[in-house]
Amino acid sequence: MPIDIASDAVQAAMRRVDRKNYVLEGSNPYQDSPQTIGYGATISAPHMHAYALSMLEDRLRPGARVLDVGSGTGYLTALFAEFAVAASEGNDEGVVVGVDHIPELVATSEKNFERDGKGHLLAGGRVELVTGDGRLGYPPRAPYDAIHVGAAARSVPKALITQLAPVGVMIIPVGPAGGAKTTAMHMLNAAMADGMAALSAKIEGGLAPRDAIAEMGFLHASHLDGVFLGFS
């Protein structure tokens, strides 16, 4: 079923976070295309941000805990905060964490929050912008109701799976090693962590992936080189 990226909530959030405060000076902030943000990184096109918000929308409730891996200039992190934090005044549970491995981008994202009038979210600890290896997640604020990973990975990092809440959802593009990255989004539930480990062990032991999936009682559907997994 196609995902509607034009929900009222997503549109309202994108109106409240001005993209011009999160791109380089001289860029066209409202052009629907990816743009460079320096350091070999880019900010995704607005429609991709809308798509990510729509995929996670049912988990982005007031009070949610959200992890944004590869947070760049902080734009999508700020959008997540519109759902989890800004809409939950008086609720101390909502928090959004942005992680990026480039310290200069993290410093820039902090300035961007201030420029966009959202510095109070940083000062109050409702949003954290952290320099680190996103593959390791950010355990101090786990578990997360929603995890978004912006960069393609060879496989789904186990640390991120274990940091999902019991009904949490992660979206992550996964591609083959040494090949073109796919745009498949893998949606995983934290309750699957043990099953994923057992499945990996069976495959490493020589069992064909499809046979291992069937033996574990997973439902599966192939998409390019990826597999969407869910308990039967």
Side-chain angles (χ1 to χ4, degrees), residues 2-232:
I3 293 177
D4 180 8
I5 65 171
S7 75
D8 291 343
V10 169
Q11 289 188 53
M14 296 186 77
R15 290 191 188 100
R16 291 192 296 267
V17 180
D18 196 336
R19 197 168 185 262
K20 75 177 181 182
N21 293 316
Y22 299 86
V23 299
L24 294 180
E25 186 175 351
S27 300
N28 183 345
Y30 310 118
Q31 182 176 332
D32 192 23
S33 64
Q35 298 182 30
T36 182
I37 53 175
Y39 311 101
T42 60
I43 182 172
S44 297
H47 79 271
M48 290 300 295
H49 290 135
Y51 187 67
L53 291 168
S54 299
M55 290 188 75
L56 294 170
E57 189 173 354
D58 66 341
R59 293 293 181 267
L60 299 177
R61 64 188 185 279
R65 290 175 174 264
V66 184
L67 176 64
D68 183 21
V69 177
S71 51
T73 61
Y75 177 62
L76 186 56
T77 310
L79 286 169
F80 286 142
E82 288 297 316
F83 288 86
V85 177
S88 61
E89 298 299 333
N91 187 328
D92 295 331
E93 295 300 316
V95 65
V96 179
V97 178
V99 179
D100 203 285
H101 72 284
I102 302 173
E104 292 85 356
L105 282 180
V106 174
T108 296
S109 65
E110 292 174 343
K111 294 177 182 177
N112 292 343
F113 264 72
E114 294 286 351
R115 184 166 57 168
D116 202 25
K118 303 182 186 303
H120 64 285
L121 298 177
L122 298 175
R126 307 307 298 276
V127 173
E128 286 192 45
L129 299 170
V130 180
T131 301
D133 185 343
R135 295 169 296 183
L136 303 179
Y138 190 65
R141 292 289 198 161
Y144 298 101
D145 301 290
I147 296 179
H148 168 267
V149 183
R154 294 183 178 183
S155 60
V156 181
K158 292 182 179 179
L160 296 183
I161 297 173
T162 61
Q163 289 175 41
L164 275 172
V167 292
V169 172
M170 179 198 312
I171 57 174
I172 176 173
V174 178
K181 302 300 183 183
T182 75
T183 56
M185 292 294 187
H186 293 234
M187 304 182 71
L188 303 174
N189 188 288
M192 295 171 61
D194 291 340
M196 288 286 286
L199 179 65
S200 296
K202 287 181 179 292
I203 294 173
E204 290 171 2
L207 196 60
R210 288 184 179 274
D211 293 337
I213 289 169
E215 188 172 303
M216 285 294 298
F218 285 107
L219 300 173
H220 73 281
S222 294
H223 181 79
L224 300 178
D225 63 296
V227 178
F228 290 84
L229 299 174
F231 282 122
S232 59

